[in-house]
Amino acid sequence: MNRREFNKLFLSAFAASAGGLLLPAASHNLFADVPQTDRRLVNVMLEGGADFRFVFVPAPDYDPTYVEQFWSARAALYAAGDYADYASMYDSEYITVTDSESGFSFGIHKSCDWLAQQFTTGNVAIISNVVGSKNRRHDHSQLIVNAGDVTTGRIDTERDGWGGRLAETISGQSNVAALTEAVSLFCSGTNSAARLEHVFHAINLRDMSLPQVNQGEDIASNRNALIRSLAAYYHARGIEIESEKTAGWPYRQFFKHHSFLDTFGGDIEDALSLAPLPALLQNLNLNNDKFTQQCQNLYDSFFISDKVNSRVFSFDYRDWDHHAALEEKITLNLTDVFSLSGGLAAVMSEMASNIPTAFQGTVYLFGSDFGRQLAANGSSGTDHGTASYSIIIGPAVNGGIRGDMFPLAEALPDLSDGAGRTPFEIPGTDIVGETSLERVLAKVCDWVSPGSGELVCPNAASGPLEAGVDLNSLFG
């Protein structure tokens, strides 16, 4: 047995003892009376504070004062650095899209051509000026966003997350599928004694079963001898510890987990062995290998949904904290997530062809720790801010813009500033938060599990909502 195989055995057992990962969900369910659907949510957390003001920019024919201020404050972000003016930069780097309802046109960065395509198709809702965390700390802000609760304390790491709460509104012992390397607080449930009882953790769905003896290899080799010895030991002791006499033995959970992996993990691998990944997903060539794996996991989990039993899925993509050389770094990330050659475009394309019901019933929600400041810093990057945009993608989405994408007040003199500067000119100024993230999350929850929004996000109704914004129309 090599180190990888040994670690697989050990870490799987450790995960089980630490909170129930991969074990069948228990019966804990606070919200069992919520009406049921077959809708699914994929929550994509972009860790580090993504600058969506780089993704979305005003068209050159937008208010001239605003465009002038915007360009003056952010021109340093563009690596070429020698654009004659804003219009020439825009024509080179952005794709113009138009909101079909309002007729408002704006630019989406060319690295996000799939996002632009989906917006034009009507499958993308952009909610402007959304604020989750009002502080600028990564650790605390991520806790707040994953908990879906602005009251979350700075060290409140042992609490429940909004994904876990949402899963508890779904009958049939539904799980949160963590398709990531580490399990996020987003997945944690309300049972303080077993936060992960409804979590299915799959780092790689095609590599879940226990190591087997290699056929054709010396049966007495060290590897095969160890595998046979461990299998025999677990089998013999497993029968013994199932008796009531040893129910309190501290290592009993390890043996239960071994049995679970031996059957359930093997069943999953057997099911997927009959269905190779589509070529588009097999041949993904992303900058981030972990995101590649998550996209493959997602397709597989939909393909064998009867075994995974999840309607809430957890994704992440790290490294969005671009204080310097923003364009060079963020473009790589955006290409992985939002381009036509990216992972999610591949997943959705294959789902549309092979699993159309799941394709039609799935939405993707994108969020981050916080937003970024309005103006570039001195290193061609942007620093921590607060408000930003929420993005929801899927065939069930009523696409379009909610809220003012580029508030004119950002380019007008701030009356509280003695020098009469505009927000773009005042160092450290953020996008103003007009709509609470909890309101957005509650509407997503209501779509996935009707009537669950106020249960999952009880503070949503008291949070701010930008004037004129109707979040009730987010879904068809």
Side-chain angles (χ1 to χ4, degrees):
M1 178 184 297
N2 61 32
R3 178 178 297 180
R4 175 177 171 276
E5 291 169 329
F6 178 81
N7 285 343
K8 184 176 172 182
L9 281 173
F10 175 79
L11 291 176
S12 295
F14 177 80
S17 67
L21 297 186
L22 287 174
L23 292 176
S27 59
H28 186 70
N29 192 327
L30 297 183
F31 316 121
D33 294 333
V34 172
Q36 303 305 309
T37 71
D38 59 356
R39 298 167 182 168
R40 298 173 175 89
L41 164 70
V42 180
N43 182 60
V44 186
M45 180 65 174
L46 309 178
E47 294 186 2
D51 192 335
F52 285 133
R53 271 292 177 90
F54 179 85
V55 177
F56 306 128
V57 300
D61 61 357
Y62 190 57
D63 181 87
T65 299
Y66 187 94
V67 170
E68 179 183 355
Q69 289 275 324
F70 184 95
W71 181 234
S72 177
R74 296 179 68 88
L77 297 179
Y78 296 91
D82 57 356
Y83 290 113
D85 51 28
Y86 181 74
S88 60
M89 182 283 296
Y90 181 93
D91 290 342
S92 175
E93 302 224 13
Y94 286 86
I95 302 166
T96 299
V97 298
T98 302
D99 180 8
S100 59
E101 183 171 334
S102 67
F104 180 75
S105 296
F106 63 100
I108 295 180
H109 195 264
K110 62 184 180 182
S111 63
C112 305
D113 50 359
W114 174 70
L115 177 63
Q117 178 200 72
Q118 292 297 303
F119 185 88
T120 299
T121 304
N123 292 343
V124 179
I126 301 170
I127 304 100
S128 308
N129 313 314
V130 174
V131 59
S133 172
K134 294 184 180 180
N135 72 74
R136 299 180 179 183
R137 291 182 55 96
H138 289 296
D139 54 353
H140 192 188
S141 295
Q142 288 172 17
L143 283 177
I144 290 170
V145 172
N146 285 321
D149 181 357
V150 73
T151 69
T152 303
R154 179 175 164 184
I155 58 172
D156 196 1
T157 58
E158 301 301 321
R159 62 156 299 160
D160 48 292
W162 73 272
R165 297 194 298 275
L166 176 58
E168 290 178 14
T169 72
I170 300 169
S171 66
Q173 300 182 345
S174 180
N175 303 306
V176 183
L179 306 182
T180 53
E181 188 173 46
V183 178
S184 165
L185 182 136
F186 163 81
C187 305
S188 296
T190 59
N191 184 354
S192 60
R195 293 291 189 196
L196 303 179
E197 66 180 345
H198 288 283
V199 175
F200 176 88
H201 188 201
I203 298 176
N204 183 347
L205 273 167
R206 291 178 180 262
D207 185 23
M208 290 187 64
S209 65
L210 296 174
Q212 303 296 317
V213 172
N214 285 340
Q215 300 300 316
E217 183 180 303
D218 180 8
I219 195 67
S221 70
N222 289 340
R223 175 191 182 279
N224 286 341
L226 182 55
I227 288 175
R228 286 187 291 107
S229 297
L230 283 173
Y233 176 77
Y234 271 99
H235 176 73
R237 292 302 307 273
I239 296 173
E240 174 188 340
I241 64 172
E242 286 303 317
S243 69
E244 294 182 4
K245 293 180 181 179
T246 55
W249 189 47
Y251 296 104
R252 186 169 186 264
Q253 191 83 328
F254 284 77
F255 285 83
K256 289 180 63 179
H257 194 62
H258 178 276
S259 175
F260 177 71
L261 275 180
D262 196 30
T263 55
F264 183 66
D267 287 347
I268 284 183
E269 287 197 8
D270 288 345
L272 291 175
S273 69
L274 302 175
L277 272 172
L280 192 60
L281 286 165
Q282 279 190 31
N283 300 325
L284 274 179
N285 184 26
L286 305 185
N287 299 295
N288 186 310
D289 291 340
K290 293 176 182 177
F291 193 69
T292 299
Q293 184 64 65
Q294 290 175 62
C295 292
Q296 294 170 343
N297 285 340
L298 182 64
Y299 179 85
D300 281 343
S301 66
F302 283 159
F303 197 83
I304 56 168
S305 59
D306 58 320
K307 298 183 183 296
V308 175
N309 191 27
S310 296
R311 286 178 34 215
V312 182
F313 299 82
S314 177
F315 262 48
D316 66 28
Y317 194 119
R318 300 178 182 179
D319 191 24
W320 297 81
D321 191 23
H322 301 134
H323 291 277
L326 181 145
E327 181 175 38
E328 175 186 353
K329 297 174 182 177
I330 199 173
T331 300
L332 296 175
N333 295 0
L334 293 172
T335 300
D336 280 358
V337 179
F338 292 121
S339 78
L340 286 167
S341 60
L344 294 178
V347 170
M348 288 188 70
S349 175
E350 293 295 349
M351 285 172 56
S353 299
N354 304 320
I355 323 172
T357 301
F359 168 76
Q360 292 292 336
T362 302
V363 299
Y364 301 78
L365 172 67
F366 300 84
S368 197
D369 316 16
F370 38 57
R372 311 297 287 194
Q373 295 174 21
L374 289 176
N377 59 26
S379 301
S380 300
T382 52
D383 297 326
H384 298 183
T386 52
S388 185
Y389 302 87
S390 287
I391 303 172
I392 309 173
I393 302 177
V397 173
N398 282 331
I401 302 165
R402 289 8 180 235
D404 191 347
M405 288 195 79
F406 313 108
L408 294 178
E410 295 174 350
L412 300 175
D414 186 336
L415 298 179
S416 65
D417 179 62
R421 295 174 297 178
T422 70
F424 273 122
E425 296 170 326
I426 300 173
T429 304
D430 301 339
I431 297 171
V432 175
E434 300 282 3
T435 295
S436 82
L437 176 63
E438 289 156 296
R439 282 187 176 271
V440 177
L441 301 184
K443 294 304 178 185
V444 172
C445 291
D446 276 335
W447 179 79
V448 174
S449 185
S452 68
E454 64 180 24
L455 298 171
V456 177
C457 300
N459 300 324
S462 60
L465 179 66
E466 184 171 349
V469 170
D470 178 15
L471 297 181
N472 292 317
S473 64
L474 283 173
F475 302 98

